């Protein structure tokens, strides 16, 4: 079974600085998708960024980028120029490219942004 | 922007009681999901639903659980006889395609079983 591990329960960053959230996963599949979801307090989880395993290029969405290391099964999220609105719970998630389309989540990292 | 909504936001029930958690997926979406998160643990998949039937379910989704789309808009999760260990946050999600990149999540229902 696929497992996703987020080893940082909490992180903090100064406003305008850069922070990296870690995620590792375990799978025997070669084709899959990886996601970072953001959950602000009392709000829905929203998709921040996704990475297809077959793509070597790391995904980027504005201030958010990932460092995808397929051999190491590592998928970290970098937030540049952190803003107060980035404060949230961040979940790393895995989904198979074939078969079941349910998501496997990590336990989350709570990010605090310090003004 | 369309959103998935869930009601109630918090439900308190006594052990052994039946509860129904309600979700309104995004209107043109075809695939629906329930996940749950026990406090301090991972978000876990329960079940996916398409074309009025369950398409996948996890080991957690036993005979105590059922899902239904009673009309064109609601998607419900029923727990027949709640246990203390059912206390969790329950998230509904929907997507347009089965292999859509994004599943859209609701804000969750916190279920507390006493």
């Amino acid at each position: 079974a696929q497992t996703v591990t987020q080893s940082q329960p909490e992180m903090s960053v100064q406003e305008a600085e850069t922070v990296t959230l870690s995620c590792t996963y375990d799978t025997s599949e070669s084709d899959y998708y990886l996601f970072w979801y953001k959950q602000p307090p009392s709000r829905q989880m929203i998709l921040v960024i996704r990475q297809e395993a077959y793509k070597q290029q790391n995904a980027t969405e504005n201030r958010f980028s990932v460092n995808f290391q397929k051999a190491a099964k590592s998928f970290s999220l970098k937030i540049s120029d952190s803003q107060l609105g980035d404060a949230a719970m961040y979940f790393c998630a895995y989904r198979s490219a074939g078969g079941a389309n349910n998501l496997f989540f990590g336990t989350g990292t709570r990010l605090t942004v310090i003004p | 922007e369309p959103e998935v909504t869930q009601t109630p936001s918090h439900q308190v029930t006594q052990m052994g009681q039946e509860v129904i958690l309600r979700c309104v997926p995004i209107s043109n979406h075809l695939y629906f999901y329930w996940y749950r998160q026990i406090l301090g643990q991972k978000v876990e998949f329960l079940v996916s639903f398409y074309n009025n039937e369950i398409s996948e379910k996890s080991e957690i989704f036993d005979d105590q659980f059922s899902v239904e789309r009673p009309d064109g808009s609601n998607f419900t999760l029923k727990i027949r006889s709640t246990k203390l260990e059912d206390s969790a946050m329950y998230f509904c999600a929907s997507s347009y395609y089965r292999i859509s990149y994004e599943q859209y999540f609701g804000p969750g229902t916190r279920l507390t079983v006493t």
Side-chain angles (χ1 to χ4, degrees):
Chain A
Q2 290 76 14
T3 58
V4 178
T5 302
Q6 293 178 252
S7 59
Q8 305 155 316
E10 295 183 351
M11 291 282 285
S12 61
V13 62
Q14 290 283 145
E15 198 175 358
E17 297 295 308
T18 296
V19 64
T20 298
L21 308 184
S22 301
C23 173
T24 58
Y25 59 94
D26 189 27
T27 183
S28 58
E29 298 177 329
S30 59
D31 200 11
Y32 48 87
Y33 302 101
L34 296 165
F35 306 87
W36 279 99
Y37 276 86
K38 169 186 176 182
Q39 186 182 35
S42 303
R43 297 291 307 276
Q44 280 91 327
M45 265 193 284
I46 56 173
L47 181 64
V48 174
I49 197 166
R50 71 169 186 269
Q51 174 79 43
E52 293 90 338
Y54 65 85
K55 289 187 178 178
Q56 292 187 337
Q57 187 172 10
N58 288 323
T60 299
E61 288 287 341
N62 300 315
R63 298 182 294 106
F64 298 87
S65 61
V66 299
N67 183 5
F68 173 49
Q69 303 287 328
K70 190 172 185 180
K73 296 180 182 174
S74 169
F75 181 61
S76 60
L77 174 70
K78 185 170 83 171
I79 307 173
S80 304
D81 185 25
S82 297
Q83 301 175 359
L84 295 178
D86 295 333
M89 195 75 160
Y90 286 82
F91 293 98
C92 178
Y94 171 104
R95 200 194 83 202
S96 175
N101 65 333
N102 54 286
L103 295 165
F104 293 88
F105 285 90
T107 49
T109 296
R110 183 171 302 283
L111 179 67
T112 300
V113 181
I114 303 166
Chain B
E1 187 173 333
E3 289 186 334
V4 176
T5 59
Q6 291 184 243
T7 54
S9 57
H10 190 193
Q11 172 93 46
V12 181
T13 189
Q14 289 191 325
M15 197 167 51
Q17 295 295 305
E18 175 183 286
V19 293
I20 298 176
L21 309 183
R22 302 180 192 281
C23 168
V24 179
I26 294 173
S27 62
N28 65 341
H29 283 187
L30 303 175
Y31 293 87
F32 315 113
Y33 314 85
W34 283 101
Y35 292 83
R36 79 171 186 191
Q37 184 181 28
I38 295 172
L39 188 63
Q41 298 185 24
K42 298 184 179 190
V43 176
E44 301 172 291
F45 168 74
L46 293 178
V47 65
S48 60
F49 190 85
Y50 168 70
N51 199 26
N52 283 320
E53 60 183 29
I54 291 172
S55 51
E56 283 135 2
K57 62 181 181 178
S58 71
E59 292 177 352
I60 302 167
F61 194 87
D62 61 21
D63 292 343
Q64 288 290 89
F65 293 90
S66 62
V67 288
E68 193 177 39
R69 190 155 161 81
D71 52 43
S73 59
N74 288 284
F75 178 51
T76 62
L77 174 70
K78 183 193 290 186
I79 310 175
R80 288 192 183 81
S81 178
T82 50
K83 303 174 214 166
L84 294 176
E85 54 264 38
D86 293 327
S87 294
M89 186 72 106
Y90 288 81
F91 296 103
C92 174
S94 69
S95 64
Y96 184 71
Y97 294 108
R98 183 179 184 278
I99 57 168
S100 292
Y101 287 131
E102 185 166 3
Q103 293 180 14
Y104 292 79
F105 283 82
T109 292
R110 180 166 298 284
L111 176 65
T112 301
V113 182
T114 61

